[in-house]
Amino acid sequence: MSEIETLYRSYAPAVLRFAWGLCGDRARAEDLVSETFVRLLTRAPRIETRTALAYLLAIARNAFLDEVRSGRREVPLPGDLRAPERSPYERIDDAGQLRAVMERLRSLPEGERAALLLRVDHELSYDEIAGVLGISIAAAKVRVHRARTRLAAAREEGGKGR
C-alpha cells in the first residue's frame, strides 16, 4: 500500500467531517476531500505522520476558502430529484436537530467555525489549531471561545421560541 493510500484510509473520514462542518453540504465536503488529497499528491513534500492530520485539515480549509473566493456558482436542483436510497446522515433519528445544529454552525464566521471544528471534532491542541489557521495560539483560543459563546447564545434563542 502506498503512503498516500495509507494517509487516505487513515484520515479521509476526519477530513470529510471537517469539510462538511465548514461548508454544510455533504457533496461539497466530499469534493473538498478529493481536492485535499489531490493537492497533497501533486504539491506536498513528504510529511511526518504525527502532523498528517493537521496538515490535511489545513489543505482542506485552504481548498474551501479557494472555493469561496472563486464565487462558485450553485444552482439548486428540483426538489423531486431523490436518490433511491437514503444516506446514513438522513436516517439520523432527530434529523431536525442535526439540521438546526448545522445551521447554527454555518452561521458562525468561517475562522471561528474552523477553529471550533478543529478543537472539538478533531481534538487538536490550540498550538496545532494556530498552525492550521495561521494565527497565534491566543487567537486560536479566542476563536474557539467566541464560537462556543455564539452557539450557546443561538441555542438559548432557539429554545425560547418553542
Side-chain angles (χ1 to χ4, degrees):
M1 191 172 346
S2 70
E3 183 179 5
I4 190 78
E5 190 176 356
T6 301
L7 287 170
Y8 183 83
R9 289 179 189 269
S10 298
Y11 298 113
V15 175
L16 177 63
R17 283 192 320 271
F18 180 64
W20 192 22
L22 286 177
C23 69
D25 179 83
R26 170 80 182 194
R28 282 179 63 197
E30 289 172 351
D31 290 344
L32 286 170
V33 171
S34 297
E35 179 65 19
T36 297
F37 283 93
V38 166
R39 287 182 184 191
L40 176 69
L41 186 61
T42 59
R43 300 180 190 168
R46 292 184 55 88
I47 59 173
E48 298 176 24
T49 304
R50 72 186 234 301
T51 63
L53 179 60
Y55 188 73
L56 290 168
L57 295 175
I59 294 172
R61 179 174 180 258
N62 289 336
F64 170 73
L65 293 174
D66 289 347
E67 181 182 284
V68 169
R69 284 186 207 111
S70 71
R72 176 179 162 183
R73 293 183 182 177
E74 294 182 2
V75 177
L77 294 174
D80 58 345
L81 292 179
R82 300 285 305 172
E85 291 185 34
R86 294 176 64 200
S87 75
Y89 300 99
E90 292 177 302
R91 289 182 266 168
I92 294 174
D93 290 338
D94 195 355
Q97 184 178 9
L98 177 61
R99 277 192 301 275
V101 169
M102 291 301 293
E103 186 176 315
R104 288 180 193 129
L105 189 60
R106 281 192 307 273
S107 73
L108 294 174
E110 186 279 329
E112 290 177 14
R113 183 172 65 237
L116 182 68
L117 289 169
L118 292 170
R119 181 70 178 162
V120 174
D121 193 30
H122 299 285
E123 300 178 350
L124 294 186
S125 69
Y126 288 110
D127 185 43
E128 291 170 315
I129 294 168
V132 169
L133 300 181
I135 58 177
S136 70
I137 295 171
K141 290 178 181 181
V142 166
R143 285 187 184 184
V144 170
H145 175 73
R146 284 184 183 159
R148 286 179 171 158
T149 301
R150 288 179 200 238
L151 287 177
R155 183 175 180 196
E156 288 297 317
E157 288 174 14
K160 290 178 186 173
R162 291 184 187 175

